[in-house]
Amino acid sequence: MVVSTATISLQEQYIKKDIPLLQKLVPFEFNYALLKGRGNYVGIRRFNDFVAENPKSNAIDDEFVEWLNESETGDISELDFTLPGEIWQEINSDGEDCLRQRCPNFSDCFYFGAREAAEHADILVVNHNLLLVDAASGGNVLPKYDLLIIDEAHHLNDIATEAFSSQISSRGLKRLRNKATKQLNAPIKLLEDIEFDSHALFHRLRNDYAFNKKRVRQSIKEAEPMLMSLHVLRGWIESQDYENVLDVDLAKEKLKLKAKAVISTIDRYIKCLDLLKLPDSNWVIYVEQSTNPNHENFSVTASPLDVSGFIADNLLSKAGLHSTVCMSATLATAGDDPFDYFKTSVGVIGPVVQDKFQSPFDYKHQSMLFLPGRKSYNLPNPNDAGYITEASRVIEQLIELSHGRAFILFTSRSALFRAFEIISKRLPYEARRQGEMPRNKLLEWFKVTPNAVLFGTSSFWEGVSVDGDQLSLVVIDRIPFQAPDDPIYEARCERLKEGGEKSWFGDLALPYAITRLKQGVGRLIRTQSDKGVVAILDPRLTEKAYGQKIIECLPPMSVTHNLQDLPSFFNVNSLNS
Ligand code: SF4
């Protein structure tokens, strides 16, 4: 059986808590293992080569070497410090740069060790990305499995979209030129051509599509010379036989692998540039500029418009697979068939066994949903410029009633910054916002700080759990509709508008918002003894017809429009202890 999750935290929960518990409960023995994508493991041979080739580099310090000597898994997530991404890319396990059985480190290899354990496991825990990579390779990555459980299944479509996207970036091209020069000794003239063409291409894109994630709808003629230059470099690399290389210590073999890895990068760039040159209605192209002035980068991404067919054909209908269970706390949305949105997203057509299961929590008595009316609380439309200022007033009142102990969740970074700026200095409690420190550290800070208030966006809407009174209030600024100018969402809406059968709002925008909102609301009640308040400030929830549909999809909390009803849901006894 394969169990797949979207997040590392849920994988850890399965491995450390759920499966060991299951082992105690069932009357038979079984074993289990965790397998991650190979890029998560240190590649010992690549690490040794990197150290030998860069003796003066101080990127690898004693702390890392000490960890490496002691680690049994070589899994980067064990590190409690970060390694620069570009260094990690040089020393992790890489399928295109692997000597396999001929590798001198094969017997100690972390990745092949994890694969060996996976081969013998009755239950194998993986992530969606690896699951999809296996499906795309026709089952060459994971051992054969009969049963599949996809937890956090609401993420499957997004992760598939990302996994099958290709990207070219200014920084990536610079890295490619460096590798081709240093490792393969490619002719300078070829690399200068690539540099020249990439300047022309990114100059054009920067002029026309600067800053935000912007969709490219027309053909970009500057992609053509860039394509030609990359084809020439690819041809040159392929023509090399490396006969002059002194074949000591597998040097020739290693060089061929490096050449193969560079070719595969070029192929990904070519795929993206082909689509930039000749747009295809089944693909969405968009450009992005990094906002970090120290790491200037401009990228072009080509994403498939619809991955549902791929998921259905290659994953859910995989040869030998008996059954698949898809589950999540947020799969059901509104409509005659609450699972229609999810089933469409993974290409399931026809009958399936489906059900909603009762939560073990008594939401009516454990929680209150506060929906402030527009008039009573003087709230404008969420799209009006003054909305966050007015909403901040209500947020402050709520924090006062709850004595801090609150998550304040926003749908955009700009709203988060604005509200934090207005509220945080006036609060009598410690407040922090997302971005001030890494997510896990911020969560640890929240758990141990009395009356803490945490302002967050996307990464705090799900996958974080705070039990007990420490989290007594969750405030959500507005209904989390997808940003209308998100390139993939925009293209999918357009496709639905053209098709006529389904509605872009009812079948895409609304179920997306409901799924997201359920995730945010789900932060509050984590155990049967938790108590607290969820406040959703968006007046559209009480005014629009779709607002009622959304409320019906949320956990069955008591509902109020008055702040006076809230205090009984905040446990203040624990404050004095
Ligand atoms: S077997 Fe492959 S992944 Fe493992 S250490 Fe050797 S080269 Fe790296």
Side-chain angles (χ1 to χ4, degrees):
M1 175 193 288
V2 163
V3 180
S4 182
T5 74
T7 56
I8 290 176
S9 51
L10 189 56
Q11 277 185 347
E12 282 179 1
Q13 184 187 313
Y14 269 111
I15 291 292
K16 292 181 183 159
K17 196 171 148 210
D18 298 339
I19 301 180
L21 176 66
L22 189 65
Q23 270 185 323
K24 287 185 193 150
L25 295 176
V26 297
F28 52 85
E29 289 191 358
F30 67 86
N31 57 31
Y32 60 95
L34 170 69
L35 184 66
K36 295 189 174 178
R38 71 184 296 164
N40 288 283
Y41 302 93
V42 177
I44 305 177
R45 199 266 303 160
R46 294 185 83 214
F47 168 78
N48 290 339
D49 284 356
F50 180 84
V51 174
E53 286 162 17
N54 302 276
K56 290 193 186 132
S57 166
N58 51 11
I60 307 279
D61 59 13
D62 292 347
E63 202 179 352
F64 183 84
V65 176
E66 206 173 297
W67 166 75
L68 190 59
N69 288 335
E70 281 170 14
S71 175
E72 287 180 9
T73 65
D75 177 351
I76 191 175
S77 70
E78 282 183 359
L79 283 180
D80 51 14
F81 54 94
T82 48
L83 208 62
E86 59 277 15
I87 301 294
W88 179 246
Q89 295 303 324
E90 295 298 321
I91 62 169
N92 63 358
S93 172
D94 181 349
E96 283 157 357
D97 188 4
C98 174
L99 294 164
R100 295 182 171 79
Q101 279 85 349
R102 287 188 308 283
C103 171
N105 304 100
F106 185 72
S107 59
D108 305 320
C109 175
F110 291 121
Y111 172 66
F112 281 104
R115 277 201 58 162
E116 173 79 15
E119 289 288 344
H120 297 107
D122 299 305
I123 298 180
L124 178 63
V125 179
V126 301
N127 65 20
H128 294 350
N129 207 302
L130 191 59
L131 187 73
L132 290 158
V133 169
D134 176 66
S137 73
N140 288 333
V141 179
L142 299 180
K144 297 226 174 316
Y145 54 91
D146 312 313
L147 302 169
L148 173 61
I149 294 180
I150 306 176
D151 202 346
E152 298 179 319
H154 58 281
H155 281 300
L156 197 58
N157 184 289
D158 281 348
I159 293 177
T161 303
E162 207 180 304
F164 301 117
S165 295
S166 50
Q167 191 180 70
I168 183 168
S169 67
S170 51
R171 217 185 299 161
L173 273 166
K174 200 170 161 195
R175 262 200 311 268
L176 175 85
R177 291 200 313 271
N178 274 343
K179 278 191 178 171
T181 321
K182 287 188 189 156
Q183 299 178 345
L184 307 179
N185 215 4
I188 298 293
K189 170 76 179 84
L190 299 188
L191 303 171
E192 281 174 353
D193 285 350
I194 289 179
E195 189 175 3
F196 180 83
D197 296 333
S198 92
H199 274 306
L201 174 68
F202 289 112
H203 180 73
R204 159 83 197 271
L205 293 172
R206 210 173 266 123
N207 275 351
D208 291 5
Y209 303 93
F211 303 114
N212 285 329
K213 228 173 166 183
K214 276 210 174 161
R215 194 160 154 211
V216 181
R217 291 169 182 267
Q218 90 252 43
S219 164
I220 301 292
K221 71 174 178 16
E222 285 79 358
E224 172 81 53
M226 179 86 238
L227 266 167
M228 280 168 59
S229 299
L230 284 173
H231 276 294
V232 173
L233 176 63
R234 191 187 192 286
W236 179 86
I237 297 172
E238 274 199 321
S239 69
Q240 301 306 298
D241 53 17
Y242 305 105
E243 281 312 315
N244 302 332
V245 175
L246 205 57
D247 202 8
V248 188
D249 200 14
L250 294 168
K252 200 181 281 187
E253 185 104 15
K254 286 182 189 172
L255 207 53
K256 281 184 182 167
L257 282 174
K258 281 181 178 145
K260 209 169 127 201
V262 172
I263 286 180
S264 131
T265 306
I266 294 176
D267 285 347
R268 284 200 299 276
Y269 290 172
I270 286 176
K271 187 174 168 198
C272 190
L273 288 167
D274 274 337
L275 287 159
L276 197 58
K277 187 182 112 187
L278 213 59
D280 176 329
S281 61
N282 291 316
W283 288 79
V284 187
I285 317 281
Y286 58 91
V287 294
E288 277 177 291
Q289 184 163 15
S290 136
T291 46
N292 184 342
N294 301 325
H295 295 99
E296 209 197 40
N297 190 33
F298 205 83
S299 64
V300 182
T301 305
S303 296
L305 183 59
D306 184 1
V307 286
S308 59
F310 172 87
I311 296 172
D313 296 345
N314 297 285
L315 181 63
L316 304 180
S317 310
K318 194 172 182 286
L321 181 61
H322 289 265
S323 315
T324 303
V325 178
C326 295
M327 59 189 197
S328 153
T330 56
L331 281 195
T333 60
D336 296 338
D337 178 356
F339 295 100
D340 184 60
Y341 171 64
F342 170 72
K343 288 189 291 186
T344 306
S345 78
V346 294
V348 170
I349 303 160
V352 295
V353 178
Q354 61 183 49
D355 215 338
K356 287 200 256 183
F357 297 93
Q358 283 301 317
S359 161
F361 306 138
D362 179 0
Y363 280 104
K364 265 229 149 12
H365 295 102
Q366 289 184 254
S367 55
M368 177 73 95
L369 173 62
F370 171 61
L371 303 172
R374 184 195 292 271
K375 285 200 186 116
S376 318
Y377 293 88
N378 199 20
L379 283 169
N381 191 303
N383 295 324
D384 287 359
Y387 179 71
I388 285 297
T389 311
E390 296 303 328
S392 295
R393 209 177 15 81
V394 183
I395 294 172
E396 226 177 315
Q397 288 174 292
L398 285 161
I399 294 174
E400 197 178 312
L401 287 174
S402 68
H403 300 267
R405 308 182 294 174
F407 270 12
I408 318 295
L409 302 178
F410 296 87
T411 50
S412 72
R413 279 162 59 86
S414 56
L416 161 76
F417 284 124
R418 179 90 188 97
F420 186 76
E421 191 187 300
I422 298 172
I423 305 168
S424 63
K425 288 193 199 89
R426 300 207 295 243
L427 289 178
Y429 312 120
E430 259 194 76
R432 286 191 184 273
R433 64 160 174 79
Q434 188 175 327
E436 283 188 9
M437 50 172 86
R439 181 174 176 259
N440 282 350
K441 294 259 180 284
L442 212 45
L443 198 59
E444 275 168 33
W445 163 82
F446 183 83
K447 286 178 179 173
V448 298
T449 307
N451 312 86
V453 182
L454 196 154
F455 290 67
T457 53
S458 49
S459 58
F460 284 91
W461 281 72
E462 63 177 314
V464 288
S465 189
V466 181
D467 298 354
D469 298 333
Q470 188 58 19
L471 179 60
S472 297
L473 169 69
V474 171
V475 181
I476 291 171
D477 71 330
R478 55 188 290 164
I479 302 169
F481 286 117
Q482 178 78 277
D485 56 355
D486 176 85
I488 299 174
Y489 173 73
E490 188 189 35
R492 287 179 178 168
C493 284
E494 282 173 12
R495 174 68 58 98
L496 286 179
K497 283 176 194 167
E498 283 161 15
E501 252 178 55
K502 291 204 167 199
S503 128
W504 72 270
F505 185 76
D507 294 305
L508 183 63
L510 191 58
Y512 171 89
I514 291 172
T515 306
R516 199 95 185 94
L517 194 59
K518 283 171 84 173
Q519 286 156 2
V521 168
R523 293 317 93 216
L524 181 72
I525 302 297
R526 311 300 297 170
T527 71
Q528 276 156 322
S529 57
D530 284 0
K531 232 178 152 186
V533 169
V534 173
I536 309 174
L537 307 183
D538 195 326
R540 293 173 297 183
L541 270 181
T542 46
E543 289 170 0
K544 302 277 183 191
Y546 62 74
Q548 190 52 39
K549 282 191 188 172
I550 294 176
I551 294 169
E552 282 164 15
C553 294
L554 298 179
M557 301 172 273
S558 306
V559 180
T560 184
H561 306 295
N562 293 317
L563 281 171
Q564 289 85 338
D565 293 334
L566 306 186
S568 61
F569 281 86
F570 294 124
N571 186 0
V572 287
N573 296 335
S574 59
L575 287 170
N576 304 323
S577 59

